[in-house]
Amino acid sequence: MVEVVAFWRIVRLEAAARAAGFIVAALFALLLQPPAANAAPNWTLDPSASVLTYQSVKKNTIVETNKIRNITGTLSAAGDAKISFDLNSVDTGVDLRNVRMRFLFFETFKYPTAELTAKVDPAAFADLPAKRRIKATLPFRLSLHGVDKDLEASIVVTMISDTQVSVASEAPVAVHVEDFGLLPNVDKLQQAANVTNIVPTASVSFDFVFTADGSKPAAVQTVAASAADVGPVATDAAKSNFSDEECLNRFAVLSRTGAIYFRQASARLDAKSRPLLAEVEGVVGKCPALKVEVSGYTDSDGSPEANKALSERRAQAVADALVADGVPRNQISAAGYGEERPVAANDTAKNKALNRRIEFSATKLAN
């Protein structure tokens, strides 16, 4: 009788080990290959249960916590991970700040997504079936703003259930904006928000929940969070129209990007202007009750008369490009102000570049 009981205990333990091993093998390719008839599945990130937050510091002491809300990702049976972040879903809690982060910092009109890729070391998780929770160091590659950078994170991997696994940061990951060519964009944020001393490093934390393909997602408890601040959100692309406030926010921030380019002393648009012009077109189309003035400005080099004429031609070139791409003519006007209304002293090359600009302002469309 004792031998029979022991035998059944061994059988049950082996079955449990096979089930746990199947989950881990599918996720990280860590254990022995399962039988051919039971091929390991792939895994898909559950966006409603996954979170990425980053903290930044301004004025040396004020900490702000923001989120990227729209996240997608997969983990292959071989342990290859790929996670994409929709940077247009940045959530600061305030629309104007969201738009500043999108257009001035991330420059989503050129770089709308960021991507994380990783290959998990199988040996690091050999004991996960028994422990259910393991800490490790995970090397990964972050692609952001057109730059690839190899980083690493201290992570905690937890088997939530037989069909769900959490991969979370144990400690924040320091991301240095200079590594991704974003340092000039910090300056743009400071000027737009009229703040100083934004620390050029973000502390990033995450909790990614993966569900086995073909399984039904289980409810995941998110501590100290509500449905209002976790999971996907509607981005501008999903909206049919903007409120007047949203329109004004977008035009004001788009004016500060400095991403419309001309040849020197010319009103000929450079092809590099196309991404921002496409963004402006999208905003104008969702603000049908507003008329947009395209305003041109120059620095103080040259005569005031020549500068005014150049600014007028440049503003008109932008307006014509928008109309050519489908913006109604009655929604667009152009004006040139030359060297009037400088935003900086014309005493350095950097300040002169700030004064050579195109701005967008909106007023109610006449009935």
Side-chain angles (χ1 to χ4, degrees):
M1 182 67 178
V2 172
E3 291 179 353
V4 172
V5 171
F7 171 77
W8 281 111
R9 284 179 177 172
I10 291 172
V11 169
R12 291 173 65 187
L13 287 171
E14 288 180 345
R18 282 196 301 272
F22 177 78
I23 298 300
V24 179
L27 187 58
F28 299 114
L30 302 177
L31 304 181
L32 296 177
Q33 290 293 328
N38 296 311
N42 295 317
W43 297 70
T44 300
L45 182 139
D46 181 356
S48 66
S50 299
V51 179
L52 181 138
T53 63
Y54 65 92
Q55 289 186 326
S56 59
V57 179
K58 66 182 182 182
K59 297 182 180 179
N60 293 325
T61 58
I62 300 175
V63 179
E64 292 184 342
T65 300
N66 305 325
K67 298 180 177 67
I68 304 296
R69 297 286 294 270
N70 295 356
I71 311 172
T72 58
T74 58
L75 274 170
S76 74
D80 297 305
K82 179 183 290 187
I83 303 173
S84 294
F85 309 97
D86 179 1
L87 300 179
N88 282 306
S89 69
V90 61
D91 183 8
T92 69
V94 177
D95 181 67
L96 180 57
R97 291 207 299 259
N98 292 349
V99 179
R100 286 173 180 162
M101 288 301 303
R102 288 168 50 200
F103 295 150
L104 300 183
F105 184 71
F106 290 122
E107 295 185 314
T108 56
F109 51 90
K110 290 190 291 187
Y111 307 101
T113 61
E115 186 175 86
L116 180 155
T117 54
K119 178 74 174 180
V120 177
D121 176 13
F125 295 89
D127 295 333
L128 185 60
K131 295 183 176 180
R132 308 292 290 186
R133 183 176 177 88
I134 286 182
K135 298 179 181 180
T137 298
L138 176 67
F140 65 92
R141 174 162 292 185
L142 178 61
S143 299
L144 172 66
H145 201 246
V147 178
D148 294 342
K149 180 74 174 178
D150 291 325
L151 302 169
E152 66 178 27
S154 297
I155 61 170
V156 179
V157 179
T158 304
M159 294 182 67
I160 300 171
S161 70
D162 286 348
T163 59
Q164 283 195 313
V165 174
S166 162
V167 181
S169 53
E170 181 186 19
V173 179
V175 177
H176 304 289
V177 300
E178 187 174 8
D179 291 340
F180 297 92
L182 289 164
L183 202 54
N185 298 359
V186 173
D187 288 339
K188 292 181 182 180
L189 279 181
Q190 291 184 150
Q191 292 165 8
N194 194 27
V195 298
T196 58
N197 299 326
I198 295 179
V199 177
T201 299
S203 298
V204 181
S205 301
F206 57 86
D207 185 358
F208 302 138
V209 175
F210 292 89
T211 301
D213 287 359
S215 65
K216 183 178 180 181
V220 177
Q221 297 296 321
T222 304
V223 179
S226 67
D229 54 19
V230 175
V233 293
T235 61
D236 282 5
K239 297 178 180 180
S240 56
N241 285 298
F242 297 137
S243 68
D244 286 352
E245 180 183 2
E246 289 174 329
C247 291
L248 296 176
N249 287 345
R250 281 148 185 77
F251 290 130
V253 176
L254 287 168
S255 297
R256 292 178 172 273
T257 58
I260 292 181
Y261 308 95
F262 299 92
R263 295 187 178 184
Q264 187 173 3
S266 168
R268 184 173 179 179
L269 277 167
D270 191 285
K272 293 187 300 181
S273 306
R274 172 45 39 196
L276 187 69
L277 289 175
E279 193 71 49
V280 174
E281 291 159 16
V283 176
V284 174
K286 294 180 181 183
C287 301
L290 297 181
K291 183 169 185 175
V292 179
E293 179 183 281
V294 181
S295 305
Y297 299 88
T298 69
D299 59 30
S300 62
D301 289 352
S303 71
E305 295 78 15
N307 286 335
K308 189 171 188 340
L310 177 60
S311 67
E312 289 171 347
R313 294 198 306 274
R314 286 180 168 178
Q316 191 62 55
V318 172
D320 290 344
L322 295 173
V323 171
D325 284 338
V327 173
R329 173 67 71 178
N330 71 326
Q331 263 195 281
I332 294 291
S333 64
Y337 298 95
E339 59 192 70
E340 299 175 23
R341 309 177 191 175
V343 294
N346 283 291
D347 54 355
T348 66
K350 180 179 179 180
N351 284 344
K352 288 179 180 181
L354 292 174
N355 288 329
R356 297 190 300 269
R357 66 197 192 277
I358 291 290
E359 293 186 354
F360 305 93
S361 57
T363 56
K364 283 287 187 180
L365 196 62
N367 294 328

